[in-house]
Structure formats: structure tokens, C-alpha cells
Amino acid sequence: EVRLVESGGGLVQSGGSLRLSCAASGFTFSDYFMTWVRQAPGKRLDWVASINYDGEIPYYEASKKGRFTVSRDNTKNTLYLQLHSATTEDTAMYYCAQGDCSGANCRYRGQGTQVTVSS
């Protein structure tokens, strides 16, 4: 059974930083691209970033490049997302997902971790 458990969310001030984690189990983690998506209240799922099998090739939604860093540790079966220079527009539920997907087409997602950015 695929299991993805996000953590690390919380309240952060505008301009601050936060690191999210996603612990994966139930599949061979290193065999899959991994993805972060987010959903703000009243909005659809929004792709943030993805990363290839070994972590050497991260890629980002254009407007988010430079403020997010995606990484992974295959020895720990864990995916990470570092948020830098947070803005109130980053307030959302953040989900990790198995595979190279962009939102509603993600087959497996975790339960999410809430990030709230205060002004």
C-alpha cells in the first residue's frame, strides 16, 4: 500500500522559510519521480515542483522557481520541499505525490500539511 505522510507545515511570517517533509512507504521510492502540489482555499490543485529518481534533476512551476527547493533522500525514503521568502500567496495545503504529475492527475497523494503565511 502506497503511503505518503507530509509534515513540517505551520505558521510562518512573510519573508520566512519553512521545510516540508514527506515520508514514503509501500513502494520502492527510488523507482519514482516525486512531486509537490498545493491547494489554496477555494482554488484547484497547483503544481509546485517535481524531482527525478535520484534527485539530480529538480524542476519547478515557472512562477515558483527560485523560492522553492525540492530534494529527496532515497536512503530515508523522504521527499523535501524548502520554501524561501514566503508570501501570503503561499498559504495552502501542501501535498506530496508519487510520480511525475501536476495536480488532479496525481494518483497517490498524502493527507497534506498546512502552511499558513502571515503578513
Side-chain angles (χ1 to χ4, degrees):
E1 176 190 1
V2 174
R3 189 159 186 246
L4 301 166
V5 180
E6 301 91 341
S7 61
L11 180 64
V12 60
Q13 289 189 333
S14 183
S17 298
L18 201 63
R19 189 175 85 155
L20 308 181
S21 300
C22 170
S25 60
F27 63 102
T28 303
F29 184 68
S30 57
D31 283 352
Y32 289 84
F33 279 53
M34 293 295 293
T35 291
W36 286 98
V37 296
R38 70 184 187 183
Q39 189 167 28
K43 297 188 177 180
R44 64 181 182 181
L45 282 168
D46 177 30
W47 175 57
V48 177
S50 299
I51 192 164
N52 76 325
Y53 309 106
D54 63 7
E56 291 295 317
I57 305 175
Y59 46 108
Y60 305 90
E61 194 277 329
S63 67
K64 299 174 182 67
K65 192 172 183 180
R67 295 199 306 108
F68 289 87
T69 301
V70 60
S71 61
R72 64 191 296 165
D73 185 340
N74 287 347
T75 67
K76 296 181 179 179
N77 290 349
T78 302
L79 177 71
Y80 302 100
L81 183 70
Q82 180 82 41
L83 167 61
H84 316 273
S85 302
T87 74
T88 55
E89 293 185 353
D90 295 320
T91 294
M93 185 72 81
Y94 284 73
Y95 302 90
C96 69
Q98 184 196 59
D100 184 12
C101 56
S102 59
N105 65 340
C106 295
R107 183 176 180 186
Y108 294 108
R109 279 189 285 135
Q111 85 291 345
T113 188
Q114 176 69 39
V115 172
T116 302
V117 183
S118 62
S119 58

